[in-house]
Amino acid sequence: MKSRILLFSLFFLILLVLPTPNQAQGCQGVMSPSYSTYTSLSLDSSLHIYTTVVVDGSTVIHQSEYCNIGGATHKGSVYNKLGSTGGWVYGPPVPPAQYFAVTNPQEIIGVPGVVYTDTTQADVLCSFVGGLFNSGPGNSLIKIGIANYILESWDSTNCTYMLYCPNGNTAASCPTATVVDYGGMQAEIPCNQLNYHWVYTLVFNGKCFPISVGVGTTVAHICQ
Amino acid sequence: MSKLFLAALVLALSAIELQAQNSTTHQHEQADMIDGSAHPELIPDAVAYRLYFVVISENPTPLPNESRRQHAHLQRAGLKENDIRAAATVLANFKVQYALLLDQYSKSPEVLRNSSDGLPLFIVKRDAIVQATRDALKSALTPSGMASFDTHIQREKTMMKVAATEVQP
């Protein structure tokens, strides 16, 4: 009697662990995630800082007829937090083979000299296995630098200014010796009536980005 | 009886082994990436333009904040006002066509049966839209504006991470 119970228990165990017909087909191939990411950065004359992150691509499925992926979905998500603004943007769950692009644009009004952290990441999650693609977290330091210039000369069209930082020229993040306000003499207030010129520059991870915004003014500003 | 018990035990162990082998179902490969900050020269132009267009293109009737954002990006690309206006129109067309292509592909029989069989043709069509947009920009922008734009895209490669399959399909 004891042996019969043991035998019955073993038979039951076999039934439990035997693969179902669907599982037994196995998965001869694999899925290859193929996603690309890009982070753009910009600044406008109102000192808005813009960052946008995108993940674009699809998962390449090989020999899908052997894979038991019925019901699986993939979902792209993009994290973009600029200063204290932003967070995750989630794409919808889609079939594993679908191609998609998810973007996450953020903007803040920047204060010159203040350093903002932009944290970014792009993920693709599979409903069956979890993390499928991860771009890795990116932490960037973004700052609006400002340099002050003083009027040096002008002609009938342009004004030329030279670097002049009240707190010392070494304080400027992205200095150039001179700047020219092209066409400034034709402006509503001709540039030769504005003794100073401020140039805002975007500083990304300590390097000057080729974005600058110039403003004519009558007041000097410390450089940052 | 002991022989029967032994046979049942062997069968049970075999079943467990078989189950372990099938745990590879829905397996994923680790994605290989080209990091543009280290190797911008490895990122193909077609990929760089596509990612840039996807990020900066807006709908034909954008919201005010979308217009401002796009304006800032295009200004950073070195475009003057007349070129920015011309580029916005071309990029709106890209956005519409790209969204339409993705939508069509998502409804294709291949995608619906979890297959990538339709992907090669999709990629041909996708890259054709990117090339057509580049051609349209070349026609719409001033030569100096287009030169600035092209230079900008090369610079932007440092901000991209691209799937290795895009470089060596």
Side-chain angles (χ1 to χ4, degrees), chain B residues 78-157:
Chain B
L79 302 192
K80 306 284 183 219
E81 287 303 320
N82 55 335
D83 278 339
I84 289 174
R85 279 193 295 276
T89 305
V90 173
L91 291 166
N93 192 34
F94 168 83
K95 190 169 186 79
V96 170
Q97 287 190 50
Y98 199 72
L100 187 65
L101 180 68
L102 264 59
D103 186 55
Q104 284 171 348
Y105 183 58
S106 72
K107 292 172 181 160
S108 69
E110 292 91 348
V111 168
L112 294 177
R113 63 179 162 85
N114 293 327
S115 162
S116 294
D117 290 349
L119 189 62
L121 179 60
F122 167 81
I123 287 173
V124 168
K125 289 179 180 176
R126 180 199 68 184
D127 291 349
I129 291 174
V130 173
Q131 185 57 48
T133 304
R134 290 175 66 181
D135 293 342
L137 284 173
K138 204 171 282 182
S139 300
L141 303 188
T142 59
S144 64
M146 193 66 213
S148 296
F149 192 86
D150 288 337
T151 303
H152 180 64
I153 300 295
Q154 297 307 317
R155 227 171 16 223
E156 287 299 279
K157 287 181 178 180

Side-chain angles (χ1 to χ4, degrees), chain B residues 48-89:
Chain B
Y49 279 89
R50 184 183 87 240
L51 293 174
Y52 188 74
F53 291 158
V54 169
V55 163
I56 66 159
S57 62
E58 298 294 350
N59 288 310
T61 50
L63 297 171
N65 67 314
E66 293 170 342
S67 286
R68 267 193 298 110
R69 183 172 61 230
Q70 184 184 58
H71 189 278
H73 284 308
L74 291 173
Q75 199 166 41
R76 201 191 132 212
L79 302 192
K80 306 284 183 219
E81 287 303 320
N82 55 335
D83 278 339
I84 289 174
R85 279 193 295 276
T89 305

Side-chain angles (χ1 to χ4, degrees), chain A residues 32 34 37-38 41 56 69, chain B residues 26 29 76 98 156 161 165:
Chain A
S32 308
S34 178
T37 66
Y38 164 50
L41 175 67
D56 176 282
I69 58 170
Chain B
H26 201 61
E29 284 177 351
R76 201 191 132 212
Y98 199 72
E156 287 299 279
K161 286 182 181 175
T165 49

Side-chain angles (χ1 to χ4, degrees), chain A residues 78-153:
Chain A
V78 176
Y79 187 76
N80 185 11
K81 191 161 189 180
L82 177 57
S84 57
T85 301
W88 285 99
V89 165
Y90 299 98
V94 298
Q98 188 163 322
Y99 191 103
F100 58 81
V102 179
T103 58
N104 184 344
Q106 297 297 336
E107 65 176 86
I108 58 170
I109 299 176
V111 176
V114 175
V115 178
Y116 301 94
T117 302
D118 187 29
T119 306
T120 63
Q121 186 171 321
D123 288 348
V124 179
L125 293 175
C126 172
S127 62
F128 276 17
V129 297
L132 166 63
F133 168 80
N134 185 328
S135 65
N139 282 304
S140 307
L141 300 177
I142 298 171
K143 183 181 89 167
I144 299 175
I146 180 168
N148 188 74
Y149 294 81
I150 192 165
L151 185 63
E152 185 185 47
S153 61

